[in-house]
Amino acid sequence: MGQRIISSVNTYSYRMQKQERVKGELLPQQIIDVYVREAPFAVRLHYVKGPGAGRKLVFNPSVRAEEFRVKEAGFLSVAGAIWLNVDSSFAKSDSNHTVREAGIGPLVGRLVRDTERSKPLGGFTMVPEGWNEKGEYCASYLSPPASPPFDYARTRICTDLLSGVPMQVDGYGTKGELLEMWHFS
């Protein structure tokens, strides 16, 4: 249902609060305003709070398939806007994901792919949690053993049931440690 809603809307924006464990280190939270066009895909990010606050980033693969344009804030702004490779070390310094994965559409697609991949292994085990304070329905999904393993041992998803769109996705490792947190509004 979430995929249908997102594809029918095509262009949307949201504020994202995220936190990721990158190379073993849990980085500080960031707040990012995200603007997405699903087809043809394009994305604009404006970092509002946390590391990178003031950064502006644009990615449109129909213009440059392997690069995004970024303008840093503060002292680094003297360089102006520059083009960087999507897979560069700078691009991966504060995220496990590339700009190609920005947007709720790619996230929902990844969740659907993981669900399909889990079926021959017995599927995810769902643990219902109920409603959160925002009126979203939350449940945890325990990953089956797999090789290669799934990104998370446990994924907690809170969904707006009117749209079918996940509004919160938290991923945890095998020891219960937070790996990634994505909250959308």
Side-chain angles (χ1 to χ4, degrees), residues 124-173:
F124 288 101
T125 302
M126 181 181 145
V127 181
E129 296 178 19
W131 302 95
N132 68 11
E133 66 282 351
K134 297 177 187 171
E136 302 156 351
Y137 189 79
C138 302
S140 285
Y141 299 85
L142 308 178
S143 298
S147 183
F150 289 91
D151 291 336
Y152 315 130
R154 178 173 73 95
T155 306
R156 181 174 188 262
I157 303 173
C158 297
T159 304
D160 171 53
L161 293 184
L162 290 176
S163 67
V165 174
M167 299 303 289
Q168 179 176 331
V169 178
D170 301 326
Y172 298 89

Side-chain angles (χ1 to χ4, degrees), residues 78-93:
V78 298
I82 59 172
W83 289 95
L84 292 173
N85 186 285
V86 169
D87 295 312
S88 68
S89 59
F90 176 82
K92 293 184 174 182
S93 65

Side-chain angles (χ1 to χ4, degrees), residues 2-185:
Q3 283 181 313
R4 285 192 309 271
I5 293 292
I6 290 165
S7 65
S8 70
V9 172
N10 192 42
T11 303
Y12 56 92
S13 65
Y14 58 92
R15 177 162 277 191
M16 172 176 66
Q17 179 182 354
K18 81 169 187 96
Q19 187 172 22
E20 295 183 57
R21 188 174 301 275
V22 178
K23 299 177 186 167
E25 180 185 351
L26 187 62
L27 301 179
Q29 289 186 13
Q30 294 177 303
I31 295 177
I32 305 168
D33 288 337
V34 182
Y35 307 86
V36 179
R37 183 182 66 208
E38 289 287 333
F41 185 73
V43 64
R44 180 169 50 105
L45 308 174
H46 179 218
Y47 290 67
V48 177
K49 188 174 180 185
R55 178 183 301 151
K56 294 180 181 180
L57 183 149
V58 175
F59 176 64
N60 184 339
S62 64
V63 175
R64 291 196 185 186
E66 300 301 319
E67 294 181 315
F68 62 89
R69 190 163 171 88
V70 64
K71 182 172 183 357
E72 289 292 327
F75 176 74
L76 293 176
S77 67
V78 298
I82 59 172
W83 289 95
L84 292 173
N85 186 285
V86 169
D87 295 312
S88 68
S89 59
F90 176 82
K92 293 184 174 182
S93 65
D94 69 351
S95 183
N96 296 306
H97 305 277
T98 70
V99 70
R100 288 185 185 105
E101 297 173 78
I104 297 175
L107 171 65
V108 170
R110 185 171 127 210
L111 295 172
V112 169
R113 282 189 302 279
D114 281 353
T115 300
E116 292 302 315
R117 185 175 149 231
S118 77
K119 285 181 180 176
L121 304 168
F124 288 101
T125 302
M126 181 181 145
V127 181
E129 296 178 19
W131 302 95
N132 68 11
E133 66 282 351
K134 297 177 187 171
E136 302 156 351
Y137 189 79
C138 302
S140 285
Y141 299 85
L142 308 178
S143 298
S147 183
F150 289 91
D151 291 336
Y152 315 130
R154 178 173 73 95
T155 306
R156 181 174 188 262
I157 303 173
C158 297
T159 304
D160 171 53
L161 293 184
L162 290 176
S163 67
V165 174
M167 299 303 289
Q168 179 176 331
V169 178
D170 301 326
Y172 298 89
T174 55
K175 297 175 184 153
E177 72 279 17
L178 178 67
L179 299 177
E180 296 181 344
M181 176 268 291
W182 308 87
H183 297 187
F184 310 107
S185 59

